[in-house]
Amino acid sequence: MTNTLYDALIAPHAENNAPFLINDEGTALTYAGFVRRVAQLANVLKNMGVAPGDRIVVQAPKQTDTIALYGAAVQAGAVYLPLNTAYTQAELSYFLNDAAPRLVVCDSKDEAAVTRLCSDLGAKVLTLGADGTGSLPTAADTVPEQFDTVARGPDDLAALLYTSGTTGRSKGAMLSHKNLLSNARALTNLWDITRNDRLIHALPIFHTHGLFVAMNTSLLAGAQVRFMAAFDQDAILDELPNSTMLMGVPTFYTRLLGDPRLTKDRCAGMRLFVSGSAPLLAETHTAFTDRTGHRILERYGMTETNMITSNPYQGERIEGTVGYALPGTEVEITSPDTGQPVPVGDIGMIEVRGDNVFQGYWNMPEKTTEELRDSGFFITGDLGIKSADGRISIVGRQKDLIISGGYNIYPKEIEDVINDVAGVLESAVFGVPHPDFGESVQAAIIFENGVTLDGATIAQKIAPLLARFKQPRNYILLDALPRNSMGKVQKNILRQDHSP
Ligand code: MCA
Ligand code: AMP
């Protein structure tokens, strides 16, 4: 029986007694122990009625069992659907209705609310708490450590990851076994990841960066992973001398640079610092090199495509550029008007094709057609330049998107929620520079005639509907929104007038 991802990432470790996941308490789960736990969790999935192709929603704390559950979903032929733990019940309800999962694994503290949401959908609920206990681990403890792996081919779905949309509705990106494995292979080779590596893992595991870029490459290479429950600056600094790699968003690096304990000596054993998910400022890149002697390797990707480009491991890493197309991946810069390639050095839309590119959006064929060409090229919405030797620089975005601390926030989603508050006529949500998160969310509000609410009241009304990281940090009450002659809101003017 073959299963593309399981056979490459998990099966080879059945007899591997080297440490794999080392948690905050210092306990190490070996690779062989991981393989056994994956099988136990796959047995739980089967016992819960999960059939091949069924979706499993996971909104649970970062635990070794959470990552083993990803492996179990792969082994059982199911589709893993991780969700940001910050999402509110209102947001969760959308994903549950859209994805129609067979099983939802939630934090123990949310069990009652999630059970209520699931009652009409026929989805079962299991729990996994921040202390590692819950009905999921309890069920896994008593079932066999072997499981008959379900056959899955390269084009079968392995994961469904939601990414917010410019229309305000989140879209589920369908990722196949081939999409994930091809990218893991490309990155492992390019970054030279081996069993001698020890990765500091402080990212969340509900997004591509922490889940696929970090975990799939580690599994493929057999590397050790210092698996932190969350970003913890002290712990990262403590681990630097015993580790070889760190993967993070730019906020990780600006925070580390703000700490005098970040020194060349402390980083002497490190061989690779990777940054992605948001633009890394050239000044951060330079300051990091000056302080540590290491040049951060910046790469670029998307949920729909996995990683697209990377600065070289051997060779020059240039600040402000995201490097070359990964092996097996083609990048074209096209005219947003005609879709035809633009001359070298001109700005255009970044498009990408390869085994890394997803299969389309779940239940949204028209969105898929809009963004994924028949030729196989995916239209990223990012604007870039390709140099004569193929190096890509991102110069802007055609899509209206704010990236805060590596989390993507689509203004349309926030505007829709604010506009529903009684008394609000319209709103415009935009990002302004922020020293820690890169960008911070701001909302300009126009009220209906005769109505005035303060920012605190609006904040209170939208709080149950939007994850905290999406909520505006500032409300600007205006008489009118700046518009161009076509009537389009000029967010650049709002940004100019209201940046700190
Ligand atoms: C936390 N808060 C935030 C953010 N994170 N606010 C805005 N933006 C954020 N990113 C708020 C909380 O709501 C809370 O608000 C307060 O900050 C403290 O929360 P805490 O959890 O303690 O924050 P933290 O531990 O300091 O987290 C910051 C962080 C985290 C470490 C930068 O956001 C993070 O891990 N980001 C990584 C995201 C990521 O993995 N992105 C990859 C996406 P209050 O105090 O008001 O309640 S994948 C992707 O983009 C593509 C594919 C790619 O290329 O990788
Ligand atoms: P997501 O929708 O979460 O998959 O985020 C993907 C988006 O993050 C891309 O379309 C880019 O706009 C942005 N992104 C990812 N990596 C980088 C990077 N290294 N530099 C600039 N933007 C990036």
Side-chain angles (χ1 to χ4, degrees):
M1 203 66 87
T2 61
N3 176 310
T4 304
L5 264 180
Y6 185 84
D7 295 349
L9 300 186
I10 301 172
H13 298 298
E15 311 289 326
N16 177 358
N17 286 314
F20 172 33
L21 298 171
I22 300 143
N23 67 17
D24 292 335
E25 285 71 48
T27 312
L29 179 65
T30 63
Y31 267 100
F34 179 75
V35 175
R36 291 193 294 272
R37 191 60 173 172
V38 165
Q40 285 186 310
L41 289 163
N43 276 306
V44 173
L45 297 183
K46 192 172 176 193
N47 294 344
M48 296 298 287
V50 172
D54 281 348
R55 276 77 56 212
I56 304 169
V57 166
V58 180
Q59 191 189 29
K62 187 177 170 186
Q63 288 284 335
T64 51
D65 266 347
T66 324
I67 204 72
L69 186 57
Y70 160 58
V74 169
Q75 190 175 17
V79 179
Y80 191 71
L81 195 172
L83 289 177
N84 194 322
T85 49
Y87 289 155
T88 62
Q89 296 298 309
E91 290 165 303
L92 177 62
S93 166
Y94 170 81
F95 298 116
L96 296 182
N97 279 289
D98 196 57
R102 174 79 59 192
L103 174 70
V104 180
V105 176
C106 69
D107 194 329
S108 312
K109 69 178 173 44
D110 300 328
E111 184 176 9
V114 174
T115 304
R116 265 195 306 279
L117 284 180
C118 287
S119 61
D120 292 343
L121 297 169
K124 294 184 176 149
V125 178
L126 287 174
T127 60
L128 175 60
D131 61 358
T133 67
S135 54
L136 177 80
T138 302
D141 287 345
T142 54
V143 293
E145 294 180 335
Q146 294 81 34
F147 181 81
D148 284 337
T149 303
V150 171
R152 292 278 98 179
D155 292 323
D156 284 320
L157 283 196
L160 190 57
L161 260 64
Y162 276 81
T163 163
S164 303
T166 40
T167 53
R169 273 187 72 202
S170 282
K171 301 168 288 186
M174 299 191 286
L175 294 157
S176 70
H177 283 239
K178 177 175 73 187
N179 295 153
L180 300 182
L181 184 58
S182 64
N183 212 237
R185 285 199 166 124
L187 296 175
T188 308
N189 288 337
L190 193 72
W191 297 345
D192 204 15
I193 305 174
T194 70
R195 57 169 51 193
N196 299 323
D197 277 306
R198 185 173 192 271
L199 171 74
I200 302 176
H201 192 304
L203 287 161
I205 49 169
F206 41 71
H207 281 310
T208 295
H209 198 165
L211 182 59
F212 301 138
V213 180
M215 295 310 307
N216 285 352
T217 54
S218 297
L219 279 161
L220 200 59
Q224 270 187 48
V225 178
R226 173 63 182 86
F227 199 62
M228 294 182 184
F231 176 87
D232 176 339
Q233 190 154 314
D234 292 337
I236 293 177
L237 285 158
D238 281 350
E239 295 292 346
L240 283 171
N242 326 314
S243 304
T244 63
M245 296 178 61
L246 173 69
M247 293 185 189
V249 296
T251 301
F252 280 27
Y253 295 106
T254 49
R255 286 187 183 180
L256 287 170
L257 277 167
D259 196 313
R261 291 173 294 172
L262 181 78
T263 59
K264 267 199 179 75
D265 281 352
R266 199 177 273 273
C267 297
M270 291 288 290
R271 70 170 186 88
L272 187 58
F273 291 90
V274 176
S275 177
S277 314
L280 182 74
L281 295 180
E283 68 201 51
T284 309
H285 196 281
T286 310
F288 200 85
T289 306
D290 290 348
R291 181 86 73 83
T292 66
H294 289 275
R295 290 184 75 74
I296 297 172
L297 183 152
E298 187 173 8
R299 65 24 170 212
Y300 157 60
M302 276 185 84
T303 304
E304 288 92 333
T305 61
N306 298 284
M307 296 306 99
I308 302 169
T309 70
S310 169
N311 268 276
Y313 179 63
Q314 311 281 0
E316 204 181 355
R317 300 176 197 160
I318 300 183
E319 57 270 31
T321 80
V322 290
Y324 302 100
L326 294 178
T329 299
E330 289 170 82
V331 175
E332 293 268 25
I333 309 291
T334 62
S335 154
D337 301 327
T338 64
Q340 293 305 309
V342 297
V344 168
D346 280 11
I347 295 177
M349 175 65 69
I350 302 178
E351 298 197 19
V352 53
R353 177 164 74 179
D355 284 349
N356 54 319
V357 175
F358 75 141
Q359 294 191 337
Y361 295 113
W362 178 257
N363 282 342
M364 289 188 182
E366 62 304 323
K367 276 271 146 211
T368 304
T369 315
E370 267 172 42
E371 298 183 27
L372 195 54
R373 297 186 192 280
D374 289 343
S375 61
F377 272 99
F378 173 69
I379 305 165
T380 61
D382 293 311
L383 298 171
I385 298 180
K386 197 198 277 195
S387 68
D389 76 339
R391 224 177 245 279
I392 308 292
S393 304
I394 301 173
V395 298
R397 300 180 205 121
Q398 201 180 48
K399 52 196 174 192
D400 189 14
L401 163 68
I402 300 167
I403 306 184
S404 167
Y407 285 145
N408 285 13
I409 298 162
Y410 280 85
K412 178 75 167 68
E413 182 189 357
I414 322 297
E415 288 161 2
D416 285 350
V417 173
I418 295 175
N419 294 349
D420 278 347
V421 173
V424 171
L425 180 66
E426 58 176 349
S427 61
V429 168
F430 58 101
V432 296
H434 187 274
D436 186 32
F437 290 133
E439 285 187 282
S440 113
V441 183
Q442 313 283 303
I445 315 271
I446 317 297
F447 294 109
E448 285 167 359
N449 267 341
V451 179
T452 317
L453 303 171
D454 58 13
T457 307
I458 301 170
Q460 196 189 8
K461 288 190 189 292
I462 68 167
L465 303 174
L466 290 173
R468 177 76 186 112
F469 71 88
K470 296 181 192 169
Q471 296 171 23
R473 295 300 152 133
N474 196 19
Y475 292 88
I476 300 144
L477 312 181
L478 297 178
D479 294 330
L481 294 174
R483 290 182 188 277
N484 66 13
S485 55
M486 311 286 288
K488 192 171 182 305
V489 177
Q490 290 171 300
K491 293 197 176 176
N492 53 333
I493 293 189
L494 288 170
R495 254 190 299 277
Q496 219 171 64
D497 291 352
H498 302 285
S499 284

